[in-house]
Amino acid sequence: MNPYTTFIALLVGSLLLFVGIRLKKWPIILVALIPLGLVAVNLFFLITGR
């Protein structure tokens, strides 16, 4: 993933997570974890250099 895609995924994921927590809706929170998980995996690969 390039940096722009990572940034957009982080933005969308955190926004969905915020909305899901505010509305206390579990499906929104679970959907928000997908882009945040992608960002976390991408940062892990960036740090370890793979």
Side-chain angles (χ1 to χ4, degrees):
M1 284 167 62
N2 60 3
Y4 297 114
T5 316
T6 309
F7 181 68
I8 291 171
L10 183 65
L11 216 65
V12 168
S14 53
L15 186 73
L16 278 174
L17 192 67
F18 178 73
V19 169
I21 290 172
R22 289 280 299 200
L23 298 177
K24 293 185 174 58
K25 297 254 190 267
W26 281 105
I28 302 176
I29 296 173
L30 291 178
V31 168
L33 290 180
I34 296 168
L36 290 177
L38 281 173
V39 171
V41 168
N42 196 29
L43 282 175
F44 172 74
F45 285 149
L46 188 74
I47 292 169
T48 55
R50 290 187 186 180

Short mmCIF file of all heavy atoms in Angstrom, two decimals:
data_model
loop_
_atom_site.label_atom_id
_atom_site.label_comp_id
_atom_site.label_asym_id
_atom_site.label_seq_id
_atom_site.Cartn_x
_atom_site.Cartn_y
_atom_site.Cartn_z
N MET A 1 0.84 -1.19 0.00
CA MET A 1 0.00 0.00 0.00
C MET A 1 0.88 1.25 0.00
O MET A 1 1.86 1.31 0.73
CB MET A 1 -0.89 0.01 1.24
CG MET A 1 -2.05 -0.95 1.17
SD MET A 1 -2.89 -1.21 2.74
CE MET A 1 -3.48 0.43 3.09
N ASN A 2 0.51 2.22 -0.80
CA ASN A 2 1.28 3.47 -0.80
C ASN A 2 0.84 4.36 0.38
O ASN A 2 -0.19 4.09 1.00
CB ASN A 2 1.13 4.18 -2.15
CG ASN A 2 -0.29 4.54 -2.48
OD1 ASN A 2 -1.17 4.29 -1.68
ND2 ASN A 2 -0.52 5.09 -3.65
N PRO A 3 1.60 5.37 0.70
CA PRO A 3 1.28 6.19 1.90
C PRO A 3 -0.09 6.85 1.85
O PRO A 3 -0.74 6.99 2.89
CB PRO A 3 2.39 7.25 1.90
CG PRO A 3 3.50 6.63 1.15
CD PRO A 3 2.88 5.74 0.13
N TYR A 4 -0.54 7.27 0.65
CA TYR A 4 -1.85 7.92 0.57
C TYR A 4 -2.97 6.95 0.91
O TYR A 4 -3.91 7.29 1.64
CB TYR A 4 -2.06 8.50 -0.83
CG TYR A 4 -1.05 9.58 -1.17
CD1 TYR A 4 -0.13 9.38 -2.18
CD2 TYR A 4 -1.03 10.76 -0.46
CE1 TYR A 4 0.81 10.34 -2.49
CE2 TYR A 4 -0.10 11.74 -0.75
CZ TYR A 4 0.82 11.53 -1.77
OH TYR A 4 1.75 12.49 -2.06
N THR A 5 -2.88 5.74 0.38
CA THR A 5 -3.90 4.72 0.69
C THR A 5 -3.90 4.39 2.17
O THR A 5 -4.96 4.23 2.77
CB THR A 5 -3.63 3.44 -0.13
OG1 THR A 5 -3.29 3.80 -1.46
CG2 THR A 5 -4.83 2.55 -0.15
N THR A 6 -2.71 4.31 2.77
CA THR A 6 -2.61 4.03 4.19
C THR A 6 -3.26 5.14 5.00
O THR A 6 -4.00 4.88 5.96
CB THR A 6 -1.13 3.89 4.60
OG1 THR A 6 -0.51 2.95 3.73
CG2 THR A 6 -0.99 3.42 6.02
N PHE A 7 -3.00 6.39 4.61
CA PHE A 7 -3.57 7.53 5.33
C PHE A 7 -5.08 7.55 5.22
O PHE A 7 -5.79 7.77 6.21
CB PHE A 7 -2.97 8.83 4.78
CG PHE A 7 -3.50 10.06 5.48
CD1 PHE A 7 -3.16 10.30 6.79
CD2 PHE A 7 -4.32 10.94 4.81
CE1 PHE A 7 -3.64 11.42 7.44
CE2 PHE A 7 -4.80 12.06 5.46
CZ PHE A 7 -4.47 12.31 6.78
N ILE A 8 -5.61 7.27 4.02
CA ILE A 8 -7.07 7.26 3.82
C ILE A 8 -7.69 6.13 4.62
O ILE A 8 -8.74 6.30 5.25
CB ILE A 8 -7.40 7.16 2.32
CG1 ILE A 8 -7.01 8.47 1.63
CG2 ILE A 8 -8.87 6.87 2.09
CD1 ILE A 8 -7.09 8.43 0.13
N ALA A 9 -7.05 4.95 4.64
CA ALA A 9 -7.58 3.83 5.41
C ALA A 9 -7.58 4.15 6.90
O ALA A 9 -8.51 3.80 7.62
CB ALA A 9 -6.75 2.58 5.13
N LEU A 10 -6.54 4.82 7.37
CA LEU A 10 -6.47 5.22 8.77
C LEU A 10 -7.58 6.21 9.09
O LEU A 10 -8.24 6.12 10.14
CB LEU A 10 -5.10 5.82 9.08
CG LEU A 10 -4.83 6.24 10.53
CD1 LEU A 10 -4.83 5.01 11.42
CD2 LEU A 10 -3.51 6.97 10.62
N LEU A 11 -7.80 7.17 8.20
CA LEU A 11 -8.84 8.19 8.40
C LEU A 11 -10.22 7.55 8.44
O LEU A 11 -11.01 7.79 9.36
CB LEU A 11 -8.76 9.20 7.26
CG LEU A 11 -9.05 10.65 7.57
CD1 LEU A 11 -7.99 11.18 8.51
CD2 LEU A 11 -9.05 11.45 6.28
N VAL A 12 -10.52 6.71 7.44
CA VAL A 12 -11.84 6.07 7.36
C VAL A 12 -12.07 5.14 8.54
O VAL A 12 -13.14 5.13 9.15
CB VAL A 12 -11.97 5.30 6.02
CG1 VAL A 12 -13.20 4.40 6.02
CG2 VAL A 12 -12.05 6.29 4.86
N GLY A 13 -11.04 4.37 8.89
CA GLY A 13 -11.18 3.43 10.00
C GLY A 13 -11.41 4.12 11.33
O GLY A 13 -12.28 3.72 12.10
N SER A 14 -10.66 5.20 11.58
CA SER A 14 -10.84 5.89 12.86
C SER A 14 -12.18 6.62 12.90
O SER A 14 -12.82 6.68 13.95
CB SER A 14 -9.68 6.87 13.10
OG SER A 14 -9.52 7.72 12.00
N LEU A 15 -12.63 7.15 11.77
CA LEU A 15 -13.94 7.81 11.73
C LEU A 15 -15.05 6.81 11.99
O LEU A 15 -15.96 7.07 12.79
CB LEU A 15 -14.14 8.48 10.36
CG LEU A 15 -15.39 9.33 10.22
CD1 LEU A 15 -15.23 10.62 11.02
CD2 LEU A 15 -15.67 9.64 8.77
N LEU A 16 -14.99 5.63 11.34
CA LEU A 16 -16.01 4.60 11.57
C LEU A 16 -15.97 4.11 13.00
O LEU A 16 -17.02 3.85 13.60
CB LEU A 16 -15.79 3.44 10.60
CG LEU A 16 -16.34 3.60 9.20
CD1 LEU A 16 -15.92 2.41 8.34
CD2 LEU A 16 -17.84 3.72 9.21
N LEU A 17 -14.76 3.97 13.56
CA LEU A 17 -14.64 3.52 14.94
C LEU A 17 -15.27 4.54 15.89
O LEU A 17 -15.99 4.18 16.82
CB LEU A 17 -13.17 3.30 15.28
CG LEU A 17 -12.87 2.56 16.57
CD1 LEU A 17 -13.32 1.11 16.47
CD2 LEU A 17 -11.39 2.61 16.86
N PHE A 18 -15.01 5.83 15.65
CA PHE A 18 -15.57 6.89 16.47
C PHE A 18 -17.10 6.88 16.40
O PHE A 18 -17.78 6.93 17.44
CB PHE A 18 -15.03 8.25 16.00
CG PHE A 18 -15.60 9.41 16.75
CD1 PHE A 18 -15.22 9.66 18.05
CD2 PHE A 18 -16.51 10.25 16.14
CE1 PHE A 18 -15.74 10.73 18.75
CE2 PHE A 18 -17.04 11.32 16.83
CZ PHE A 18 -16.66 11.57 18.13
N VAL A 19 -17.65 6.77 15.18
CA VAL A 19 -19.11 6.75 15.00
C VAL A 19 -19.70 5.52 15.66
O VAL A 19 -20.74 5.58 16.33
CB VAL A 19 -19.47 6.82 13.50
CG1 VAL A 19 -20.94 6.52 13.27
CG2 VAL A 19 -19.10 8.18 12.94
N GLY A 20 -19.02 4.37 15.50
CA GLY A 20 -19.53 3.13 16.09
C GLY A 20 -19.55 3.18 17.61
O GLY A 20 -20.48 2.68 18.25
N ILE A 21 -18.53 3.79 18.21
CA ILE A 21 -18.50 3.90 19.67
C ILE A 21 -19.55 4.90 20.15
O ILE A 21 -20.22 4.66 21.16
CB ILE A 21 -17.07 4.30 20.13
CG1 ILE A 21 -16.12 3.12 19.92
CG2 ILE A 21 -17.07 4.71 21.60
CD1 ILE A 21 -14.66 3.47 20.15
N ARG A 22 -19.72 6.00 19.42
CA ARG A 22 -20.72 6.99 19.81
C ARG A 22 -22.14 6.41 19.76
O ARG A 22 -22.95 6.66 20.65
CB ARG A 22 -20.65 8.21 18.89
CG ARG A 22 -19.44 9.07 19.06
CD ARG A 22 -19.56 9.99 20.23
NE ARG A 22 -20.68 10.89 20.06
CZ ARG A 22 -20.80 12.03 20.70
NH1 ARG A 22 -19.85 12.43 21.49
NH2 ARG A 22 -21.87 12.77 20.53
N LEU A 23 -22.43 5.64 18.71
CA LEU A 23 -23.77 5.07 18.55
C LEU A 23 -23.93 3.73 19.26
O LEU A 23 -25.02 3.19 19.30
CB LEU A 23 -24.10 4.90 17.06
CG LEU A 23 -24.14 6.17 16.23
CD1 LEU A 23 -24.39 5.83 14.78
CD2 LEU A 23 -25.20 7.12 16.73
N LYS A 24 -22.81 3.20 19.80
CA LYS A 24 -22.79 1.89 20.45
C LYS A 24 -23.34 0.79 19.53
O LYS A 24 -24.16 -0.03 19.93
CB LYS A 24 -23.59 1.93 21.76
CG LYS A 24 -22.95 2.81 22.81
CD LYS A 24 -23.70 2.72 24.11
CE LYS A 24 -23.00 3.48 25.21
NZ LYS A 24 -22.78 4.91 24.91
N LYS A 25 -22.86 0.80 18.28
CA LYS A 25 -23.27 -0.22 17.31
C LYS A 25 -22.07 -1.10 17.00
O LYS A 25 -21.07 -0.64 16.45
CB LYS A 25 -23.77 0.44 16.02
CG LYS A 25 -24.99 1.30 16.20
CD LYS A 25 -26.21 0.62 15.65
CE LYS A 25 -27.41 1.55 15.59
NZ LYS A 25 -28.24 1.48 16.76
N TRP A 26 -22.16 -2.40 17.35
CA TRP A 26 -21.04 -3.31 17.15
C TRP A 26 -20.70 -3.58 15.69
O TRP A 26 -19.53 -3.72 15.37
CB TRP A 26 -21.30 -4.62 17.89
CG TRP A 26 -21.00 -4.46 19.33
CD1 TRP A 26 -21.90 -4.36 20.35
CD2 TRP A 26 -19.71 -4.32 19.93
NE1 TRP A 26 -21.24 -4.16 21.53
CE2 TRP A 26 -19.91 -4.15 21.31
CE3 TRP A 26 -18.42 -4.33 19.42
CZ2 TRP A 26 -18.84 -3.99 22.19
CZ3 TRP A 26 -17.36 -4.16 20.28
CH2 TRP A 26 -17.58 -4.00 21.65
N PRO A 27 -21.69 -3.67 14.76
CA PRO A 27 -21.31 -3.93 13.36
C PRO A 27 -20.42 -2.83 12.77
O PRO A 27 -19.49 -3.11 12.02
CB PRO A 27 -22.64 -4.00 12.61
CG PRO A 27 -23.62 -4.38 13.65
CD PRO A 27 -23.14 -3.77 14.93
N ILE A 28 -20.69 -1.56 13.13
CA ILE A 28 -19.87 -0.45 12.62
C ILE A 28 -18.45 -0.58 13.16
O ILE A 28 -17.48 -0.36 12.44
CB ILE A 28 -20.49 0.90 13.00
CG1 ILE A 28 -21.92 1.02 12.44
CG2 ILE A 28 -19.65 2.05 12.47
CD1 ILE A 28 -22.63 2.28 12.84
N ILE A 29 -18.32 -0.95 14.44
CA ILE A 29 -16.99 -1.09 15.05
C ILE A 29 -16.22 -2.22 14.38
O ILE A 29 -15.03 -2.08 14.09
CB ILE A 29 -17.14 -1.32 16.57
CG1 ILE A 29 -17.76 -0.08 17.22
CG2 ILE A 29 -15.79 -1.64 17.20
CD1 ILE A 29 -18.09 -0.25 18.69
N LEU A 30 -16.91 -3.33 14.09
CA LEU A 30 -16.23 -4.46 13.44
C LEU A 30 -15.79 -4.11 12.03
O LEU A 30 -14.71 -4.52 11.60
CB LEU A 30 -17.16 -5.68 13.42
CG LEU A 30 -17.43 -6.32 14.79
CD1 LEU A 30 -18.40 -7.48 14.67
CD2 LEU A 30 -16.13 -6.78 15.41
N VAL A 31 -16.61 -3.34 11.30
CA VAL A 31 -16.22 -2.90 9.95
C VAL A 31 -15.05 -1.94 10.03
O VAL A 31 -14.16 -1.96 9.19
CB VAL A 31 -17.44 -2.26 9.23
CG1 VAL A 31 -17.01 -1.54 7.97
CG2 VAL A 31 -18.46 -3.33 8.90
N ALA A 32 -15.00 -1.10 11.08
CA ALA A 32 -13.92 -0.13 11.23
C ALA A 32 -12.59 -0.82 11.52
O ALA A 32 -11.54 -0.26 11.22
CB ALA A 32 -14.26 0.84 12.35
N LEU A 33 -12.63 -2.01 12.10
CA LEU A 33 -11.37 -2.70 12.43
C LEU A 33 -10.65 -3.22 11.19
O LEU A 33 -9.45 -3.47 11.26
CB LEU A 33 -11.66 -3.85 13.40
CG LEU A 33 -12.05 -3.43 14.81
CD1 LEU A 33 -12.32 -4.63 15.68
CD2 LEU A 33 -10.98 -2.56 15.43
N ILE A 34 -11.36 -3.37 10.06
CA ILE A 34 -10.72 -3.89 8.84
C ILE A 34 -9.69 -2.91 8.29
O ILE A 34 -8.52 -3.29 8.14
CB ILE A 34 -11.79 -4.26 7.78
CG1 ILE A 34 -12.67 -5.39 8.31
CG2 ILE A 34 -11.13 -4.66 6.47
CD1 ILE A 34 -13.91 -5.64 7.48
N PRO A 35 -10.04 -1.62 8.01
CA PRO A 35 -8.99 -0.71 7.52
C PRO A 35 -7.93 -0.42 8.57
O PRO A 35 -6.75 -0.26 8.23
CB PRO A 35 -9.74 0.56 7.13
CG PRO A 35 -11.05 0.47 7.79
CD PRO A 35 -11.35 -0.98 7.96
N LEU A 36 -8.31 -0.37 9.86
CA LEU A 36 -7.31 -0.14 10.90
C LEU A 36 -6.34 -1.31 10.99
O LEU A 36 -5.15 -1.11 11.23
CB LEU A 36 -8.00 0.11 12.24
CG LEU A 36 -8.75 1.44 12.35
CD1 LEU A 36 -9.45 1.53 13.69
CD2 LEU A 36 -7.81 2.61 12.17
N GLY A 37 -6.84 -2.52 10.79
CA GLY A 37 -5.97 -3.69 10.77
C GLY A 37 -5.01 -3.67 9.59
O GLY A 37 -3.85 -4.04 9.72
N LEU A 38 -5.50 -3.22 8.43
CA LEU A 38 -4.63 -3.09 7.26
C LEU A 38 -3.51 -2.09 7.53
O LEU A 38 -2.36 -2.32 7.16
CB LEU A 38 -5.44 -2.63 6.05
CG LEU A 38 -6.25 -3.70 5.33
CD1 LEU A 38 -7.13 -3.08 4.26
CD2 LEU A 38 -5.34 -4.73 4.72
N VAL A 39 -3.85 -0.96 8.17
CA VAL A 39 -2.84 0.04 8.49
C VAL A 39 -1.82 -0.53 9.47
O VAL A 39 -0.62 -0.32 9.33
CB VAL A 39 -3.51 1.31 9.06
CG1 VAL A 39 -2.47 2.27 9.61
CG2 VAL A 39 -4.33 2.00 7.98
N ALA A 40 -2.29 -1.29 10.46
CA ALA A 40 -1.38 -1.87 11.45
C ALA A 40 -0.42 -2.86 10.80
O ALA A 40 0.78 -2.85 11.09
CB ALA A 40 -2.19 -2.55 12.56
N VAL A 41 -0.92 -3.71 9.91
CA VAL A 41 -0.07 -4.68 9.21
C VAL A 41 0.94 -3.95 8.32
O VAL A 41 2.11 -4.32 8.26
CB VAL A 41 -0.94 -5.65 8.39
CG1 VAL A 41 -0.10 -6.47 7.43
CG2 VAL A 41 -1.71 -6.57 9.33
N ASN A 42 0.47 -2.89 7.65
CA ASN A 42 1.36 -2.11 6.79
C ASN A 42 2.48 -1.46 7.59
O ASN A 42 3.63 -1.47 7.18
CB ASN A 42 0.54 -1.06 6.04
CG ASN A 42 1.29 -0.48 4.87
OD1 ASN A 42 2.12 -1.15 4.28
ND2 ASN A 42 0.99 0.76 4.55
N LEU A 43 2.16 -0.90 8.75
CA LEU A 43 3.18 -0.28 9.60
C LEU A 43 4.14 -1.33 10.13
O LEU A 43 5.34 -1.07 10.24
CB LEU A 43 2.52 0.47 10.77
CG LEU A 43 1.91 1.82 10.42
CD1 LEU A 43 1.20 2.39 11.63
CD2 LEU A 43 2.97 2.78 9.92
N PHE A 44 3.63 -2.52 10.46
CA PHE A 44 4.49 -3.59 10.94
C PHE A 44 5.51 -3.98 9.89
O PHE A 44 6.70 -4.14 10.17
CB PHE A 44 3.63 -4.80 11.34
CG PHE A 44 4.43 -6.01 11.67
CD1 PHE A 44 5.12 -6.09 12.86
CD2 PHE A 44 4.49 -7.08 10.79
CE1 PHE A 44 5.87 -7.22 13.18
CE2 PHE A 44 5.24 -8.20 11.10
CZ PHE A 44 5.93 -8.27 12.29
N PHE A 45 5.05 -4.12 8.62
CA PHE A 45 5.96 -4.47 7.53
C PHE A 45 6.95 -3.34 7.26
O PHE A 45 8.09 -3.57 6.89
CB PHE A 45 5.20 -4.81 6.26
CG PHE A 45 4.55 -6.17 6.31
CD1 PHE A 45 3.37 -6.42 5.64
CD2 PHE A 45 5.14 -7.21 7.02
CE1 PHE A 45 2.78 -7.68 5.67
CE2 PHE A 45 4.57 -8.46 7.07
CZ PHE A 45 3.38 -8.69 6.39
N LEU A 46 6.49 -2.10 7.44
CA LEU A 46 7.37 -0.95 7.22
C LEU A 46 8.48 -0.92 8.26
O LEU A 46 9.64 -0.66 7.93
CB LEU A 46 6.54 0.34 7.29
CG LEU A 46 7.23 1.63 6.89
CD1 LEU A 46 7.40 1.66 5.38
CD2 LEU A 46 6.42 2.82 7.35
N ILE A 47 8.14 -1.22 9.51
CA ILE A 47 9.13 -1.18 10.59
C ILE A 47 10.11 -2.36 10.47
O ILE A 47 11.32 -2.18 10.61
CB ILE A 47 8.42 -1.17 11.96
CG1 ILE A 47 7.69 0.16 12.15
CG2 ILE A 47 9.40 -1.40 13.09
CD1 ILE A 47 6.76 0.18 13.33
N THR A 48 9.58 -3.56 10.19
CA THR A 48 10.47 -4.72 10.13
C THR A 48 11.24 -4.78 8.82
O THR A 48 12.23 -5.50 8.73
CB THR A 48 9.66 -6.02 10.30
OG1 THR A 48 8.62 -6.06 9.31
CG2 THR A 48 9.06 -6.12 11.68
N GLY A 49 10.80 -4.05 7.80
CA GLY A 49 11.53 -3.99 6.54
C GLY A 49 11.27 -5.16 5.61
O GLY A 49 12.14 -5.53 4.84
N ARG A 50 10.08 -5.74 5.65
CA ARG A 50 9.79 -6.86 4.76
C ARG A 50 9.08 -6.37 3.51
O ARG A 50 8.38 -5.43 3.51
CB ARG A 50 8.91 -7.88 5.46
CG ARG A 50 9.66 -8.60 6.54
CD ARG A 50 8.85 -9.71 7.12
NE ARG A 50 9.55 -10.30 8.26
CZ ARG A 50 9.08 -11.30 8.95
NH1 ARG A 50 7.93 -11.82 8.68
NH2 ARG A 50 9.76 -11.78 9.95
#
